[in-house]
Each structure stands twice: as structure tokens, then as C-alpha cells.
Amino acid sequence: MASISHSSLAFTGTSSASDIFRSSSNGVSGVPLRALGKVRLGMRRNLAVVAKLRKVKKHEYPWPEDPDPNVKGGVLTHLSHFKPLKEKPKPVTLPFEKPLVDIEKKIIDVRKMANETGLDFSDQIILLENKYNQALKDLYTNLTPIQRVNIARHPNRPTFLDHVFNITDKFVELHGDRAGYDDPAIVTGIGTIDGRRYMFMGHQKGRNTKENIQRNFGMPTPHGYRKAMRMMYYADHHGFPIVTFIDTPGAYADLKSEELGQGEAIAHNLRTMFGLKVPIVSIVIGEGGSGGALAIGCANKLLMLENAVFYVASPEACAAILWKSAKASPKAAEKLKITATELCKLQIADGIIPEPLGGAHADPSWTSQQIKNAINKEMDELHKLDTEALLKHRMMKFRNIGGFQEGIPIDPKKKKNMKKKDEPINVKTPVLDLEGEVEKVKQQILKAKESSNEPPMLPLTETIEKLRKEVDTEFSEAVKALGLKDRFATLREEFSKVNAQNQLLHPALKEKLEKLREEFNQGLSSAPNYEDLKYKLDMLKELSKAYDLAEKNKKAAKLKQEVNKKFSEIMDREDVKEKVEALKAEVENSGVSNFNDLDDNLKGKIVELRKELEFEFIDVLKSLGLDVELKSKPVEQTLPSEVKTKIEELNEEINDRIENVINSSDLKDKIELLKLEVAKAGKTPDIAAKNKIVALEQQIRQSIAAAVESSNLKEKHEKLKAEVSKTIESSGGLDGSLKTENPNEDSFSFDESRVVGANRTFG
């Protein structure tokens, strides 16, 4: 702009005021140049004309000197601010992709070794590549919800403009909300796909830190939504179908945006979209958060990329609200049902657009082509509808979301407390922390051993319980990583039904369980958390052994103390003392020091008192819950070899007969039912469970006894019993001088005790 700097001027001549202030193309500040020439001699001071040029900021992407007229999208594409990045983005590895990186590193190392040594490693490379492809397929076909969230937020994931320039023949970006601002977080423009015009609008994230700051990380302000609304009216007026791309964590929620009417702008968009008379297709290409996504998402068709997510609140925000910890975000992501598959089941999304293995960033062009095909397919369907049917279609899509029933009374119990109790959050403890705790408990146990004290049971119990929870969490993670979660859940439900109905375990169900267990054990070593699981399991086994040993020693010491106390009580009784003293006096009076030299009468008295005390001791031991087995001098040592062989053969025959009876179908079913009842009853069964178990044991015992008695084994047993008795009598008794009343009592016997023993091994 040009200006005149001067002081007071004296004009001479006949120039009028209108001449002085008349504008002219050759004038400066409204004064004609000829007037300046006339007044030159009459000026008191020199007149200076100064021209100042305003500095204009150079455009970031100027028009090139030689624009290519054949560029895709037309010559106007050169004016677009969105240019290819000069440098390729750095590869980013997500946490669950680490096993793939390890295999890829091995492939690179083998190739490097082949180049350095000149040897042929093609077989090894092919094997590793096949392993990599299989691992990639297994990983990306069994993704958890939180893993899909991480993929949707991947820094290298293609953005809205990446897809638009890939799918359109021509595209021109339109700017501004006509109220003084152009929000870079929402991009709008007109483009063509296969000769058909569309109005495109969508959230635009940055491809690097600089672009993310410029685009406000894809979080729009009210200006962005007003720009989108302006383009909606424009498209509705000209009859352009609308395609929106959703990729935002949510609307920008700063103080300034709230002051400028963030909620009002979103609400206006929602109302406007339901009244547009052109087809609308929305595509979630990344993450769609809350009202910020819905403001351009009220469409006839909502499509989602395979690894995209759509939510009312992010998993981290939900976990912080419900569980007071963002660490519970995996659980929140699972409960929110935010993935494409789950939203299609809920009829919120209308279709899933496939992605390549590894996510959309693995092959952006292929992903864009799938989006283009989906847009053409849906638009062909919507173009068949007239305006009224189109509006009704859009309304009914949102009316059909969710469901309710009227007139059904609510259970009074649910009215009191409808919220379920929160499940505990399984947050993994670092291995180093667990090592420290285990080492501390070990030191306490060693100190207790050195001082001959009992080991501290409370810290040991707490550590074992903590390790059990950690191992359970690791097993759950391994099951999810191997893609067996659904199958485990199905089997668990089937087992619950069988237990609830007291049915026998079906062979097919048993086979399923064995197959799943074998598959899990085979694939466990490939789970990402296998090393942590193995290490924690080893620590748990080590501490469990220490706990069992401590408990065993504690129980043994307590039992020993009780037994000694009971024995002392028996021996301190007056009647027992009198009998023992009387026998001692008789033995002393006889003057004999050896037991074999005593007469038969005195021997009989000693044996009688001994038996009496033994029976009392047995009763005491049985009252303490101990199994008592009387042992005397082995009969087999006094028997001839022929009789011993006969006893062994008969025992083998009896055992074979019992096993054959047990393996019969009817008895086997009863044993399986007994196992089921014992498992259900647990360590502390109630009275009903005890009665069931006792009844089943009795039935099994009777069945085995009846089957054995029906054979000729009983006759063989009686004959052999008589033969053993004769042999013992002829040899002079067990001790060579003193005969027992029941010489075959301690050898072998065929009674129900053998049946009970056989049954207990199966029960």
C-alpha cells in the first residue's frame, strides 16, 4: 500500500476541493498527480512518497512450477495440504506382536548368515517364513477386544485422506464453516468414485507428531461439526450421496469448545442428518468415540473395518469409573462389546469390511479397495429407495437398536439390589515382586528349622494363595492367546449341566475334554506368557511342598501327643496297674527270667493281659481317626513253599476276578457316579452327600462280593484255609511253643474288607 507523509501543504492555482479529493488511478491517497505538479513550487517542505509491502506468509504447499495435468484427482490436487510423507513411518510393534518380531528377527539373521557365508539356507528360511505366516494367522484370527483397540489406534494406520485419495478418481477439499474458522480435525470435500459424485467428510488424524498437533489428534471443535453440517446441507441441495469416515477418540472437550457450544453443535448435526434426503453411509476406520463419532454417524448404513472399535466411552475411561483402575481396561473392553463382530450381533453395525493380516497398515491400498467395494455395494442398494423410504430406513435403523418388553413384573429381590457384585480384577504382580515375597518366606522357614520352631504358616498360606491367583490369571491369558477360550467356556457349561442333573459323564464329552486338554498342553509352550506361567507354577509347587510338609509334621506331632496322653491314661488306671503288678509278682516268684521257660498257665495270663491292653489301645487309635492293622509274625515264613505258591495263585485269581467285575459296564457306571459325587461333595460334604456316597459304596461292595461268591473261589479259599491250619498245627504254632486260638487269623482271609479296598482305589 502506498502512502504520503507530509506536513501542512499550501496549494496554489484554481484547483477546487473536488479536484483535491477526487480519486484517480494515477493518484496517491486520493490526490490527482496533476494537482501535485501544480503545487510543487508552492510547497514549504519536500514531499516524499513511500510504498510499504505487507509480508505475506509463504504457503506451505505452493503450486508447482510445472504441474502435472494427468495427476490422479485433477490439477487441483496440487493445492491439497495433504502430501505424501517424505520419510516412511517407523514400524511400531504392539505388545502382543512380540512373538512375530522374534521370528522375523530369526529370518533376518539367517539371511544375513547366508549372505556372509555363501551357504544355502533356503530350506530354513522357507520353514521360518511358513512359521511366521502361521503365527500371524493364528494371532490375528483370535484377537481379544483390547488388542483390536490397540490396532485401531496404531500410529501407522491409514487415515481418512489416505483412503479418500486411494478410492476417488477426483477429489476437491472444501474448507470453512462460514463463521470464521476451518477445523483441520474434520475434512470435507467432493469426490467421484467410478463416475458417481459423493460428498466425503471424516475425522482426520495425523501421520506423525507434527500432523497430530496440527489436526488436534482427530478431536474436532464445534467449528468442525458446523463445517460438516454446512457440507451436509450443500450435498442435500445438490443431491450428492454422503460418505462419512469415523476415526476419533471423541470431541475436543476443552473449556473453549464448551464455551463455543460443543454439545449444541453435535446435537444440531444429529437432528440434521435424520432429515437429509440423500443416502448416507458411515464407515468406522479406526476408533469411534462417543458423541464426537455419532455427530457424523447417523447414517442409513454403518460399516466397520475388521479391527475398528465403536464405543460410548474408551475402555480406559470405563475401567477408571467402574473399577477405579485403568489397568482393568482389557476387562472393560470385553464387557463393553465394542468390536465390529459384537456390534453386528447387536445390530448397531450393518457390515464388516475385511482387513489384511496384520491390520490395515499392513496393506493400505488393499484395505482402501475393500472400502470402495463396500461403498459401491451399499450405495447401489440405497439408490433404489425413494426419498420417503430412505428417511424411514434411516429412522428404523436406530429405532430397532436395543429391545424392551412392557408389562412384565420385576422380581422384588432385583428391585432391592439390581447391581451385581463386582468381580475381582486380576492384575498381574511382577515376577520380581513375587520372587522377593517367596524368598522372604523361605528365609522365615529356614530360621524356624534352625531354632526348632514351627514355620510361620500365615505368611506361607498368603503367599501360596497369591501364587495360585497369579497362576490362574496366567492360565486364562494362555487360553485366550491360544484361541481356546470359547471352547473352554462351552465345556464348562456342559459340565455344569451334567453336575446339576446328577448324570453320568458322557463318553463324547469325556473325549472332548481329553482332546482340548491335549491341544492346550501342546500349544502352551507357544503362548506369549509361557515363561512367566512356568516360573510362577514352579514357585507354587515348591511352596506347596513346604506347606504340606509343615502341615504333616504339625499333625504328626499333635497326634503323637494325643496318643501318648491316651496311652498314659490307660496305663495309669487302677485296675490296669493292679493286673500288671500282680503279673510282675507272679513272674518274680517263679524265678524264671526267659519267657519261653514259663509254664503254660503264666504264659496264658500274660497273653490274655496283652490282648486286653491291645484292644483298648486299638479303640483309642480308632477314636482318633486312625486305621489300625494288627501285625504278627508272618505266617508265610512257617509255611512250605508249595502252600505259599497256592496262596499267591489264589490271591492273583481273586484280584483278577475283582478287576473283571469292576470293568463290567453296570459297575463301572456306578463307580463313575461315585467319583462324581465325591468331587461334588468336596472336602466337607453335607449329610445328604455323605448318605449318597455311603449308599453307592455299599452297592459296589455288595456287587463285587456277590460276583466273587458266585464263582468257585470261596471253595478254593476254604480248602486252602484248612490246609494252612493243619500246617501251622503240625509245626507247633507261630512261636514254636505257644499255640494261638485262631492260627489263620493273621494270614489271609476272604471277606468284605478286600472288597472295600478294591472299591476305595476306584472311588
Side-chain angles (χ1 to χ4, degrees):
M1 182 180 289
S3 62
I4 300 175
S5 65
H6 60 88
S7 57
S8 57
L9 296 175
F11 295 99
T12 60
T14 58
S15 299
S16 61
S18 61
D19 289 330
I20 293 173
F21 296 105
R22 188 183 301 120
S23 297
S24 170
S25 59
N26 296 324
V28 181
S29 296
V31 182
L33 292 178
R34 65 176 181 272
L36 291 174
K38 290 178 183 178
V39 301
R40 188 185 308 157
L41 297 175
M43 281 187 176
R44 294 180 182 177
R45 295 184 183 180
N46 292 333
L47 184 66
V49 179
V50 181
K52 293 182 180 178
L53 295 176
R54 181 170 60 88
K55 289 184 179 179
V56 181
K57 185 180 178 182
K58 189 176 180 182
H59 202 283
E60 233 175 353
Y61 303 105
W63 187 282
E65 293 179 1
D66 51 346
D68 182 7
N70 299 319
V71 70
K72 186 181 178 183
V75 180
L76 291 177
T77 308
H78 292 293
L79 292 176
S80 173
H81 291 209
F82 190 80
K83 299 290 183 184
L85 293 173
K86 294 178 181 178
E87 297 179 359
K88 287 186 178 180
K90 293 180 181 178
V92 177
T93 303
L94 298 174
F96 64 89
E97 292 179 325
K98 287 181 180 178
L100 298 175
V101 176
D102 295 338
I103 300 174
E104 198 171 2
K105 189 178 178 183
K106 287 180 183 176
I107 294 172
I108 294 168
D109 291 342
V110 172
R111 281 179 177 160
K112 186 178 177 182
M113 191 185 298
N115 292 332
E116 289 175 354
T117 59
L119 299 175
D120 184 16
F121 290 101
S122 56
D123 293 341
Q124 288 84 346
I125 292 171
I126 291 169
L127 188 66
L128 285 171
E129 285 177 347
N130 291 337
K131 186 178 179 182
Y132 176 84
N133 292 331
Q134 186 61 40
L136 181 68
K137 185 179 178 182
D138 293 342
L139 184 63
Y140 273 86
T141 50
N142 299 290
L143 291 170
T144 61
I146 195 64
Q147 287 172 346
R148 292 194 188 275
V149 172
N150 292 333
I151 296 171
R153 295 172 178 170
H154 199 285
N156 299 337
R157 193 170 177 85
T159 62
F160 161 56
L161 285 174
D162 286 317
H163 290 305
V164 164
F165 284 119
N166 281 339
I167 67 178
T168 56
D169 307 319
K170 294 180 180 179
F171 179 74
V172 179
E173 186 176 345
L174 302 175
H175 298 270
D177 63 348
R178 295 299 182 267
Y181 193 78
D182 180 32
D183 188 355
I186 284 189
V187 176
T188 59
I190 300 173
T192 60
I193 298 178
D194 298 338
R196 187 184 288 173
R197 290 187 183 89
Y198 296 100
M199 174 64 74
F200 293 96
M201 58 187 69
H203 304 98
Q204 177 63 29
K205 286 184 176 179
R207 296 168 293 176
N208 50 39
T209 306
K210 183 180 177 181
E211 283 190 10
N212 266 320
I213 294 169
Q214 181 193 351
R215 301 282 183 182
N216 200 28
F217 295 86
M219 295 185 288
T221 61
H223 308 287
Y225 294 118
R226 288 174 183 137
K227 174 168 73 169
M229 187 169 63
R230 183 175 78 84
M231 297 306 165
M232 290 174 195
Y233 282 127
Y234 184 84
D236 191 44
H237 177 74
H238 291 282
F240 297 152
I242 298 173
V243 181
T244 68
F245 288 74
I246 297 170
D247 187 15
T248 179
Y252 194 49
D254 69 328
L255 182 61
K256 191 69 176 176
S257 296
E258 295 299 329
E259 288 175 352
L260 293 172
Q262 183 74 282
E264 180 259 359
I266 292 172
H268 271 243
N269 277 31
L270 299 178
R271 184 184 67 181
T272 301
M273 291 191 80
F274 278 106
L276 297 176
K277 300 180 181 65
V278 293
I280 307 174
V281 172
S282 292
I283 303 169
V284 185
I285 59 173
E287 56 177 336
S290 192
L294 201 60
I296 59 171
C298 296
N300 294 92
K301 294 282 186 177
L302 177 68
L303 308 177
M304 295 182 68
L305 285 180
E306 189 179 350
N307 294 318
V309 289
F310 197 55
Y311 47 71
V312 69
S314 67
E316 292 81 5
C318 177
I321 293 167
L322 296 181
W323 291 285
K324 313 300 181 190
S325 171
K327 291 180 180 178
S329 56
K331 183 179 178 182
E334 190 174 347
K335 298 291 182 184
L336 283 171
K337 310 292 182 188
I338 59 178
T339 60
T341 308
E342 289 164 336
L343 291 172
C344 280
K345 288 179 184 176
L346 297 171
Q347 297 182 353
I348 293 170
D350 299 298
I352 300 173
I353 301 173
E355 292 185 29
L357 288 176
H361 53 278
D363 193 346
S365 300
W366 188 88
T367 308
S368 298
Q369 188 60 40
Q370 301 306 311
I371 292 173
K372 180 180 177 180
N373 296 339
I375 291 172
N376 286 333
K377 180 184 173 185
E378 298 300 337
M379 284 299 179
D380 288 341
E381 184 181 335
L382 293 174
H383 272 299
K384 296 175 184 177
L385 304 176
D386 57 17
T387 303
E388 187 177 348
L390 191 70
L391 291 171
K392 188 175 180 182
H393 178 277
R394 197 177 305 148
M395 179 192 70
M396 292 308 297
K397 170 181 169 49
F398 287 88
R399 291 287 291 175
N400 290 332
I401 292 174
F404 60 90
Q405 288 179 310
E406 295 180 355
I408 298 176
I410 301 173
D411 188 355
K413 292 180 181 177
K414 289 186 179 179
K415 283 182 180 177
K416 291 178 183 177
N417 185 11
M418 296 185 73
K419 185 179 178 183
K420 292 183 179 179
K421 187 178 179 181
D422 293 338
E423 295 179 7
I425 306 166
N426 293 329
V427 181
K428 291 202 297 184
T429 308
V431 175
L432 290 175
D433 294 350
L434 286 173
E435 277 184 352
E437 291 184 26
V438 171
E439 193 60 35
K440 189 177 178 182
V441 172
K442 283 182 181 178
Q443 293 298 330
Q444 291 177 354
I445 293 172
L446 289 174
K447 285 180 182 178
K449 279 186 178 179
E450 289 173 2
S451 57
S452 301
N453 295 328
E454 290 184 4
M457 299 303 289
L458 184 60
L460 183 60
T461 308
E462 289 177 352
T463 309
I464 288 173
E465 191 61 32
K466 191 171 184 179
L467 277 171
R468 278 179 184 158
K469 289 180 181 178
E470 290 290 325
V471 169
D472 289 342
T473 305
E474 295 289 353
F475 267 117
S476 300
E477 283 191 14
V479 167
K480 285 182 183 177
L482 296 173
L484 302 174
K485 184 183 176 184
D486 293 338
R487 290 171 63 187
F488 267 104
T490 306
L491 269 179
R492 195 178 292 114
E493 287 179 7
E494 291 181 16
F495 270 110
S496 300
K497 287 179 184 177
V498 169
N499 288 342
Q501 298 171 4
N502 289 331
Q503 295 177 351
L504 293 175
L505 196 63
H506 197 274
L509 188 59
K510 204 172 187 180
E511 188 179 350
K512 273 187 192 177
L513 176 64
E514 292 299 328
K515 189 176 179 182
L516 185 59
R517 183 185 294 163
E518 186 179 351
E519 189 175 341
F520 176 73
N521 289 335
Q522 286 178 355
L524 185 59
S525 58
S526 62
N529 62 330
Y530 174 69
E531 293 300 328
D532 288 350
L533 171 60
K534 188 180 176 184
Y535 190 70
K536 290 177 182 178
L537 197 58
D538 290 341
M539 284 196 290
L540 178 61
K541 286 179 181 177
E542 190 177 350
L543 284 187
S544 296
K545 283 181 182 177
Y547 178 82
D548 292 341
L549 185 61
E551 281 289 317
K552 189 176 179 182
N553 292 338
K554 188 177 178 182
K555 286 181 181 177
K558 188 177 179 182
L559 189 61
K560 185 178 179 182
Q561 190 177 358
E562 289 182 8
V563 169
N564 290 335
K565 184 180 177 183
K566 294 283 185 182
F567 284 177
S568 299
E569 288 176 0
I570 292 172
M571 296 305 296
D572 290 341
R573 273 183 10 215
E574 291 298 329
D575 57 334
V576 174
K577 279 184 177 180
E578 288 177 3
K579 290 178 182 178
V580 170
E581 291 298 331
L583 268 176
K584 279 184 180 179
E586 286 188 33
V587 170
E588 287 176 2
N589 292 333
S590 66
V592 179
S593 59
N594 191 0
F595 178 80
N596 292 329
D597 296 337
L598 294 173
D599 59 1
D600 291 343
N601 185 24
L602 196 53
K603 281 182 181 180
K605 287 182 181 181
I606 293 172
V607 170
E608 202 61 42
L609 181 59
R610 181 183 171 188
K611 280 187 178 182
E612 185 181 339
L613 292 176
E614 278 181 357
F615 285 132
E616 288 199 31
F617 290 155
I618 288 169
D619 291 337
V620 167
L621 295 174
K622 284 183 178 179
S623 68
L624 295 174
L626 297 172
D627 292 332
V628 181
E629 183 180 351
L630 288 175
K631 288 188 177 181
S632 60
K633 185 178 179 181
V635 178
E636 287 79 2
Q637 293 181 7
T638 62
L639 295 176
S641 58
E642 303 86 15
V643 179
K644 288 181 183 179
T645 305
K646 287 181 182 179
I647 292 173
E648 289 175 1
E649 288 176 355
L650 183 59
N651 281 333
E652 287 180 6
E653 196 173 346
I654 291 171
N655 289 332
D656 291 342
R657 180 61 182 166
I658 291 172
E659 285 181 9
N660 291 334
V661 172
I662 288 171
N663 290 328
S664 65
S665 59
D666 182 38
L667 197 59
K668 200 170 184 180
D669 291 343
K670 286 182 181 178
I671 291 171
E672 289 293 335
L673 188 58
L674 177 61
K675 287 181 181 179
L676 189 63
E677 290 295 335
V678 170
K680 282 171 63 180
K683 293 183 179 179
T684 55
D686 55 12
I687 298 173
K690 280 183 180 178
N691 292 336
K692 278 186 182 179
I693 292 169
V694 170
L696 281 170
E697 284 184 350
Q698 190 66 24
Q699 290 175 17
I700 293 167
R701 189 183 294 116
Q702 289 174 359
S703 298
I704 295 174
V708 175
E709 285 178 4
S710 62
S711 63
N712 60 349
L713 291 175
K714 194 167 185 180
E715 296 175 3
K716 289 182 180 180
H717 175 266
E718 293 297 334
K719 288 179 182 178
L720 192 57
K721 188 177 177 181
E723 188 176 345
V724 170
S725 299
K726 287 179 183 178
T727 305
I728 292 172
E729 287 175 4
S730 62
S731 62
L734 292 176
D735 56 2
S737 60
L738 185 64
K739 292 184 181 180
T740 60
E741 294 179 2
N742 297 312
N744 58 339
E745 185 176 34
D746 293 318
S747 59
F748 71 96
S749 61
F750 174 67
D751 57 11
E752 289 187 356
S753 64
R754 292 182 62 78
V755 178
V756 173
N759 181 37
R760 287 185 188 276
T761 60
F762 291 90

